Amino acid sequence: VALALVGGVLWSLLRLPMFALTGITVLGEVEHNNAVTLRAHVVGRLNGNFFTVDLARVREAFEHAPWVRKASVEREFPNRLRVVLQEHEPIAYWGEDGEQRLLNSYGEVFDANLGELENDQLPRLAGPDNQSQQVLAMYRLLLPRFAELGLPLQGLTLTDRGSWRARVGHGAVIELGRGDVNEVTARVQRLSKTLQQVTEKLGRKLSAVESADLRHENGYALRLRGVS
């Protein structure tokens, strides 16, 4: 009887109006959102008071908001919630031309309104969704190598067959072939050692490169604009 009475008293205390949730403090990265719209997105999913609200559900609700990558939720006594947000940092378009998805700095694919991009001059990366981190790692590794070559890397694709394909600044397509990082970079280095000499010998600039195929064992095939 005593335990029942104590339990009843505690339950009554927990349901006092002073513990009803009255606000949510939103902190962290909200460049693509604002606190008002975020609260409006979440408030309809809140059930319970300060003690009984399910923090995991609140976190999930925030993480379903556009641009939000991660949310941490804590209680602020006696009647508020405190939410710290981390937004996606877009570094590339993801998928084939025309797709509306983006890739963040962690190699994670996410959906967002492309009209809200501050920088729309992003590279386009593509491949199986479950290998997006691998594609991003390869892109980061090849980026300085193509820059040294004078061919800015604008896109990288991992095909369904496991072959790498790069697209450089003026639209040229470079077939890199299959393999791990060491194998692919070795082919790019082979190209970089001789490409300048080849184009100059044929009276062309690097911008005349239309395509290159590095999948040959001891060399590469090259197509130059104006050279039959």
Side-chain angles (χ1 to χ4, degrees):
V1 173
L3 289 175
L5 289 174
V6 171
V9 171
L10 289 176
W11 180 249
S12 299
L13 290 174
L14 293 180
R15 297 176 64 84
L16 287 175
M18 66 175 293
F19 297 126
L21 292 174
T22 60
I24 303 175
T25 302
V26 180
L27 303 172
E29 303 170 5
V30 289
E31 293 181 8
H32 294 92
N33 288 288
N34 63 66
V36 174
T37 56
L38 283 169
R39 282 192 289 262
H41 182 82
V42 173
V43 69
R45 307 184 186 187
L46 293 180
N47 293 310
N49 62 13
F50 176 82
F51 293 102
T52 61
V53 66
D54 188 337
L55 296 186
R57 291 191 62 183
V58 177
R59 175 180 55 79
E60 290 175 0
F62 273 100
E63 291 180 350
H64 277 89
W67 290 100
V68 176
R69 176 181 180 265
K70 188 176 181 180
S72 62
V73 184
E74 298 176 349
R75 294 179 171 88
E76 282 190 335
F77 190 82
N79 53 17
R80 296 184 64 86
L81 296 178
R82 180 176 183 271
V83 182
V84 181
L85 300 180
Q86 178 188 29
E87 286 193 342
H88 291 287
E89 179 188 351
I91 61 171
Y93 297 105
W94 179 256
E96 301 301 326
D97 291 339
E99 289 197 40
Q100 302 292 303
R101 295 184 297 168
L102 295 167
L103 195 70
N104 68 17
S105 56
Y106 294 89
E108 300 164 341
V109 181
F110 69 100
D111 296 297
N113 181 1
L114 299 187
E116 298 176 357
L117 279 174
E118 297 178 359
N119 174 24
D120 59 359
Q121 301 300 312
L122 298 175
R124 180 166 288 277
L125 308 183
D129 285 358
N130 61 358
Q131 293 180 280
S132 58
Q133 293 181 344
Q134 180 183 353
V135 175
L136 177 59
M138 182 68 81
Y139 170 79
R140 285 172 166 166
L141 187 68
L142 294 178
L143 185 63
R145 287 171 169 77
F146 275 99
E148 294 171 359
L149 187 56
L151 298 173
L153 184 58
Q154 289 191 337
L156 182 67
T157 298
L158 177 61
T159 69
D160 293 336
R161 296 185 176 183
S163 183
W164 295 95
R165 179 183 300 125
R167 188 174 69 250
V168 296
H170 55 278
V173 175
I174 313 294
E175 296 288 352
L176 304 174
R178 300 183 183 183
D180 58 22
V181 168
N182 294 330
E183 292 172 311
V184 173
T185 54
R187 297 187 195 113
V188 174
Q189 289 174 350
R190 184 168 59 197
L191 177 71
S192 65
K193 289 179 181 178
T194 56
L195 182 60
Q196 187 73 41
Q197 300 171 19
V198 172
T199 54
E200 290 179 354
K201 184 176 180 178
L202 295 172
R204 295 292 183 272
K205 297 181 179 180
L206 287 176
S207 58
V209 176
E210 290 185 339
S211 65
D213 190 341
L214 313 187
R215 294 173 293 183
H216 301 276
E217 184 175 354
N218 296 311
Y220 56 86
L222 184 67
R223 182 182 294 276
L224 296 175
R225 188 176 300 106
V227 178
S228 62

